[in-house]
Amino acid sequence: MLQLDVLLEQSYSEMVEIRRYLHQHPELSFQEVETPKYIANYHRELGHEVREGVGERGVVATLKGAKPGPKVALRADFDALPIQDEKDIPYRSTVPGVMHACGHDGHTAELLVLAKALNTIKDELAGTIVFIHQHAEEYAPGGAIAMIEDGCLEGVDVIFGTHLWATEATGKIQYNTGPLMAAADRFEITVHGKGGHGAQPHYTKDSILIGSQIVQSLQHVVSRRVDPQESAVLSIGHFEAKNAFNVIADSAKMIGTVRTFSEEVQNNIIEDMEEIIKGVASSYGAKADFSYYKGYPALINHQQEGELIKKVALDTPGITEVEFAKPQMGGEDFAYYLNHVKGAFFFTGAKRADITDPYPHHHPKFDFDEKAMLLAAKMLGRLTLEYVGERS
């Protein structure tokens, strides 16, 4: 363990260099071309077995230890977001309207350098390590499900992953032994009314009024139809009915999201939404279309692997706080991996010490403490060694 820590510390400057290069050259979900090439070339230079185009754009590299043992997978995502980088820094994005605003550049850098460190001690390693570099985490259906279908988990016994968390202090690890992140769904509602002159509303079926009533009524789904001991969120993020100021709109469109942990709650919400939407529209003599798209499932850690994260974190130099993480309502397609093999996901604090109120993830000025990458790499490396040590 100490040897691995030393190797990672010696390569920290390379980790920062990789992260900043990727930050300057971001690529959007399902449009990644140069990033997977960069990743594949790095692993090839280490002598790893490499598969490109996994699930279309993912990369899977394999390192075989000298001794028999289990097969451990480590995952990092590498896609960026359609956001203009507004940071005044030397390594800001060079691609207009695209930036790494969620830490995926850091995830990739830490896994690459960890792969290099583990390769250095491969003659002492037991088992096989699979480095899963995933495309398109940010945009459903995501890259995980396609990579799994393409065999990235073949023979894998366990998988671990982490997310740099820029709103939590560097040195903090947040773990969980059950539900950690919610299922993230999307829905669309289109109200078909009857437009007309704004001065003659009695001749119309006002789609904006009907849509507003639907929005109001949907707020009762979680507050009055979901068990208070269950977690759920229903939010409308888009309401559009373009028209002149003196024209009553013929139609109105709403788009929103639902977040749940329980499949039963999720299905009940869908049924309740459909009943409310159709009922409200019908009461005004109008019609409404309702489309619901299930996104990533809930991310639920396996208990033993979640407890292993806690054990390793408590013994890792540089980790100053280990905290049980409350479930987050954000989504993460790492959930798909955990539906196929045992494993766990955790958060690595990455708040910059020079910023009192850090910008949140997906913000144009998002950034993180690069020292957190070293801690994340140590955690993933130590989890790997601990797991194979217990089972070899």
Side-chain angles (χ1 to χ4, degrees):
M1 300 264 187
L2 290 176
Q3 183 182 4
L4 179 65
D5 290 350
V6 171
L7 289 169
L8 288 170
E9 288 164 4
Q10 290 174 343
S11 297
Y12 173 64
S13 60
E14 181 185 7
M15 196 182 292
V16 171
E17 182 181 345
I18 293 171
R19 182 261 166 156
R20 294 187 178 188
Y21 171 81
L22 294 173
H23 197 84
Q24 288 181 292
H25 302 89
E27 294 181 302
L28 293 172
S29 305
F30 297 108
Q31 298 178 35
E32 307 96 335
V33 177
E34 297 304 321
T35 307
K37 288 180 183 178
Y38 179 93
I39 292 167
N41 288 337
Y42 190 96
H43 280 286
R44 282 201 182 93
E45 289 180 2
L46 294 173
H48 296 165
E49 177 186 322
V50 177
R51 283 183 63 207
E52 293 184 77
V54 182
E56 187 179 358
R57 296 180 185 272
V59 179
V60 175
T62 304
L63 169 62
K64 295 181 180 179
K67 307 170 188 176
K71 197 171 190 178
V72 179
L74 304 173
R75 176 269 207 169
D77 38 20
F78 58 77
D79 56 323
L81 287 154
I83 298 173
Q84 179 63 41
D85 194 345
E86 295 181 1
K87 297 189 299 298
D88 184 17
I89 53 172
Y91 54 89
R92 68 181 294 177
S93 172
T94 61
V95 183
V98 183
M99 74 171 286
H100 277 289
C102 204
H104 296 188
D105 48 345
H107 299 165
T108 302
E110 67 203 28
L111 192 59
L112 287 176
V113 173
L114 173 59
K116 179 181 179 180
L118 289 169
N119 183 76
T120 302
I121 59 173
K122 62 183 177 183
D123 291 341
E124 304 167 31
L125 284 179
T128 301
I129 305 171
V130 179
F131 304 97
I132 297 176
H133 293 274
Q134 185 203 308
H135 62 297
E137 186 278 331
E138 295 287 3
Y139 195 83
I145 192 168
M147 291 189 71
I148 292 168
E149 290 171 352
D150 202 5
C152 76
L153 292 179
E154 186 175 348
V156 168
D157 296 293
V158 71
I159 186 167
F160 294 105
T162 188
H163 202 305
L164 295 171
W165 217 240
T167 54
E168 295 291 339
T170 299
K172 177 188 283 190
I173 295 295
Q174 294 180 309
Y175 76 99
N176 187 291
T177 56
L180 180 63
M181 302 188 80
D185 301 339
R186 180 177 183 272
F187 63 83
E188 294 183 7
I189 304 165
T190 302
V191 175
H192 302 284
K194 180 181 177 182
H197 199 292
Q200 298 176 318
H202 52 297
Y203 291 127
T204 72
K205 296 174 182 177
D206 190 341
S207 63
I208 293 179
L209 173 63
I210 299 167
S212 298
Q213 289 296 323
I214 289 174
V215 172
Q216 290 282 349
S217 297
L218 288 179
Q219 301 312 305
H220 300 156
V221 171
V222 173
S223 68
R224 286 296 176 269
R225 299 199 183 198
V226 174
D227 185 335
Q229 297 185 66
E230 297 282 359
S231 296
V233 170
L234 191 163
S235 297
I236 306 287
H238 176 101
F239 192 127
E240 180 179 9
K242 293 183 178 179
N243 242 326
F245 79 97
N246 60 345
V247 176
I248 290 175
D250 190 60
S251 65
K253 184 175 183 179
M254 290 148 280
I255 305 175
T257 186
V258 170
R259 306 297 171 106
T260 55
F261 287 101
S262 161
E263 188 174 357
E264 181 181 0
V265 171
Q266 179 190 52
N267 290 332
N268 288 342
I269 286 177
I270 296 171
E271 292 178 8
D272 290 342
M273 289 181 69
E274 185 164 20
E275 179 183 342
I276 288 170
I277 291 163
K278 301 294 185 183
V280 171
S282 177
S283 70
Y284 284 90
K287 293 183 178 180
D289 297 328
F290 173 51
S291 299
Y292 193 98
Y293 309 95
K294 290 186 178 181
Y296 304 156
L299 190 161
I300 302 176
N301 283 334
H302 294 261
Q303 184 171 346
Q304 287 187 335
E305 287 66 31
E307 291 172 349
L308 183 61
I309 289 172
K310 177 184 179 182
K311 175 184 174 182
V312 169
L314 290 170
D315 192 45
T316 300
I319 303 301
T320 56
E321 184 178 357
V322 181
E323 178 180 81
F324 189 87
K326 294 180 180 179
Q328 303 273 348
M329 300 312 289
E332 164 62 70
D333 74 347
F334 191 87
Y336 287 116
Y337 301 111
L338 297 180
N339 285 347
H340 287 78
V341 298
K342 291 182 178 181
F345 194 73
F346 63 98
F347 300 127
T348 301
K351 179 182 175 182
R352 285 177 47 178
D354 60 328
I355 298 178
T356 304
D357 188 17
Y359 293 103
H361 293 249
H362 294 207
H363 190 279
K365 292 186 178 181
F366 171 84
D367 206 357
F368 61 83
D369 182 355
E370 291 174 322
K371 293 185 179 67
M373 295 189 297
L374 182 58
L375 295 176
K378 286 183 179 181
M379 280 291 300
L380 291 173
R382 282 169 165 256
L383 279 166
T384 301
L385 298 180
E386 183 76 25
Y387 188 87
V388 298
E390 290 180 354
R391 291 159 179 79
S392 298

